[in-house]
Amino acid sequence: MPSAAEFTEAPDSAAERTRRWRPAVGTGIGNALEWYDWNIYAVFTPFFAPQFFPSADPASALMATLAIFAVGFLMRPLGGLLFGWLGDRRGRRSAMITSVALASAGSLVIGLAPTYAAIGVGASLLLLVTRMAQGLAHGGELPAAQTYVSEMAPHGRRGRWSSLIYVSGTCGIVAGEVLGAVLAGVLSADQLASWGWRVPFVVGGVIGLYALVMRMRMAETEVFARQRVAQDRPSLWRDFWHHRTACLRVVGITLGGTVVYYTWVVSAPARAIAVNGFDAEATLWVSVLANLVFIAVLPAFGILSDRLGRRPVMLAAYAGLLVLTLPLNWLIQDHVWQLGLAMTIGMLFVAASASILPTVCAEMFPARVRTIGVALPYALAVAACGGSAPYLQTWLSDNGMGNVFLFYTMALLLVAIVVTCRMPETRDVELT
């Protein structure tokens, strides 16, 4: 992980160090919460699905819960639109405060929600509404956070600062998986299914309250402050349309990356438990180790992009994933170590693109339209291909068409390669 010297510029006092670190901490904790929340939903799906849907048919309950996971993503474009407008008109800080408040409230609601046995279909509807609200919040959280970090970063170091987004997010994922592994080790399967699954959601809600306080104490970026006082600002929608090519680039480089990310980083452990029958505790610990490797290499790829450029790093990542999609999936057979090896290799290549995606997207737009310019196309891409990936993979596999999903992933990665080849290098762009 980047050292303190890389995120600061030799502050003269403790007060100055606090002023410079507070934005990084506030952004990181809130971002980690989002990723923690979506990951624990995926990881604990096999345990709480019967609590929100009829338990007589576990397979149907699992599919219904995964469908709600996908529906939550359908709210992300609306969230990107709402919070993108808020971020570009009222400030990055305002968007980040509102999104983390809504997300943490949703975690608490799920953790304390009554079950299907208690209120019938009302439990299913409550889960659906809550996940839709969280999807709305998360649609604006990541773009606002990555815009904030990119604008706070010193020129020439945006790549390494950009890695903070996925470092903090993956820390949230690891925290959820460690908690899941601990719970799987100390609780029986019946205890996990009856009440143990509630623990991570309640913990997420409490963490969210802390993140809210931290973000309320953060300062706005100087880049936004300068453009806010400009006398001549065009219509947000006219400006958005003017940068439509950049918006399409965001979609193009996001589609393949989001599918492989949700396949390998988010849903692989839950799928291994539910479909391959792997031991839950061992699977989660293997996933934790793979994610620790992922965290360790993220800043390295960010620094590499600051030296070599964004395009070469992203091209290597997408090309590697394209070549390895089939072999890595065929590697997973009957042993947990095979899952761990496949996840680690896949996540190394995912890290190369993910570490710099936030700054690559931010560097495409001027400040006055930067948040919504990233938020809306990014959310559309993730809603279309990211949130649906676990459901689509499960459905195709259950119907004997597992390889169709693999070729679908490869096609999206090919799109990302073409778009990356055609986009300009943005490493030396001045953010204005």
Side-chain angles (χ1 to χ4, degrees):
M1 192 175 295
S3 66
E6 292 172 326
F7 281 114
T8 61
E9 296 178 354
D12 299 324
S13 65
E16 180 68 6
R17 286 195 297 272
T18 300
R19 185 185 72 80
R20 290 181 181 273
W21 271 102
R22 185 174 292 158
V25 174
T27 302
I29 293 177
N31 190 57
L33 172 66
E34 177 199 353
W35 298 43
Y36 168 90
D37 168 70
W38 286 88
N39 187 62
I40 60 173
Y41 186 97
V43 168
F44 284 88
T45 291
F47 302 108
F48 71 77
Q51 301 297 323
F52 288 95
F53 295 94
S55 58
D57 187 355
S60 296
L62 176 64
M63 292 298 290
T65 310
L66 287 176
I68 288 182
F69 182 80
V71 168
F73 279 83
L74 297 180
M75 295 299 294
R76 288 197 173 203
L78 181 58
L81 182 63
L82 173 62
F83 288 97
W85 175 87
L86 183 64
D88 286 330
R89 284 297 182 259
R90 296 291 182 264
R92 307 355 179 174
R93 176 178 170 273
S94 297
M96 293 166 68
I97 288 173
T98 308
S99 65
V100 78
L102 187 57
S104 58
S107 290
L108 282 175
V109 170
I110 294 177
L112 302 176
T115 65
Y116 187 90
I119 62 172
V121 72
S124 308
L125 292 175
L126 181 60
L127 180 64
L128 174 62
V129 171
T130 303
R131 292 302 290 179
M132 290 175 67
Q134 288 186 307
L136 188 72
H138 297 331
E141 162 62 27
L142 183 59
Q146 65 188 36
T147 297
Y148 186 88
V149 167
S150 296
E151 291 181 349
M152 293 292 289
H155 182 70
R157 295 185 176 182
R158 287 196 298 263
R160 71 188 70 183
W161 274 60
S162 173
S163 68
L164 172 66
I165 297 297
Y166 277 82
V167 166
S168 62
T170 310
C171 284
I173 289 177
V174 170
E177 291 184 340
V178 167
L179 182 55
V182 170
L183 290 173
V186 301
L187 300 178
S188 67
D190 289 340
Q191 289 173 321
L192 271 176
S194 62
W195 61 269
W197 63 268
R198 296 182 182 273
V199 175
F201 288 101
V202 174
V203 169
V206 174
I207 294 174
L209 295 177
Y210 176 71
L212 178 62
V213 173
M214 289 294 298
R215 288 190 170 183
M216 292 177 69
R217 301 172 64 188
M218 288 163 47
E220 186 55 80
T221 70
E222 293 182 4
V223 173
F224 174 78
R226 287 197 303 268
Q227 70 88 25
R228 189 176 188 182
V229 299
Q231 297 297 315
D232 183 22
R233 288 194 303 174
S235 162
L236 183 63
W237 298 113
R238 188 181 303 118
D239 216 350
F240 185 79
W241 176 252
H242 179 71
H243 293 89
R244 59 189 179 278
T245 300
C247 293
L248 291 175
R249 287 181 182 139
V250 172
V251 173
I253 62 177
T254 301
L255 289 175
T258 192
V259 170
V260 295
Y261 182 85
Y262 279 94
T263 299
W264 287 111
V265 184
V266 176
S267 67
R271 176 173 171 77
I273 295 170
V275 177
N276 297 82
F278 289 174
D279 176 72
E281 183 180 5
T283 298
L284 291 174
W285 280 119
V286 162
S287 180
V288 166
L289 293 176
N291 274 283
L292 289 176
V293 174
F294 185 65
I295 292 171
V297 300
L298 280 166
F301 285 118
I303 294 171
L304 188 64
S305 78
D306 285 333
R307 296 176 180 174
L308 300 181
R310 317 297 189 215
R311 289 176 60 199
V313 175
M314 295 194 77
L315 281 173
Y318 294 137
L321 288 167
L322 177 65
V323 171
L324 291 172
T325 293
L326 293 176
L328 290 180
N329 279 273
W330 292 338
L331 174 61
I332 304 172
Q333 298 295 328
D334 303 319
H335 302 285
V336 173
W337 70 264
Q338 297 167 340
L339 172 69
L341 180 59
M343 287 184 66
T344 300
I345 296 173
M347 289 163 68
L348 283 174
F349 285 91
V350 172
S353 62
S355 64
I356 60 174
L357 182 63
T359 197
V360 169
C361 292
E363 288 166 350
M364 295 182 188
F365 300 90
R368 61 182 179 270
V369 73
R370 182 166 292 131
T371 309
I372 195 171
V374 175
L376 187 55
Y378 177 85
L380 286 170
V382 173
C385 297
S388 62
Y391 182 90
L392 182 61
Q393 184 181 28
T394 301
W395 185 84
L396 288 172
S397 297
D398 288 348
N399 287 274
M401 297 183 290
N403 285 338
V404 173
F405 180 81
L406 302 182
F407 289 116
Y408 159 76
T409 301
M410 295 170 67
L412 294 179
L413 287 168
L414 186 59
V415 170
I417 291 172
V418 172
V419 173
T420 303
C421 287
R422 296 177 61 86
M423 73 182 191
E425 177 58 60
T426 57
R427 177 186 58 177
D428 297 321
V429 168
E430 290 283 351
L431 295 187
T432 57

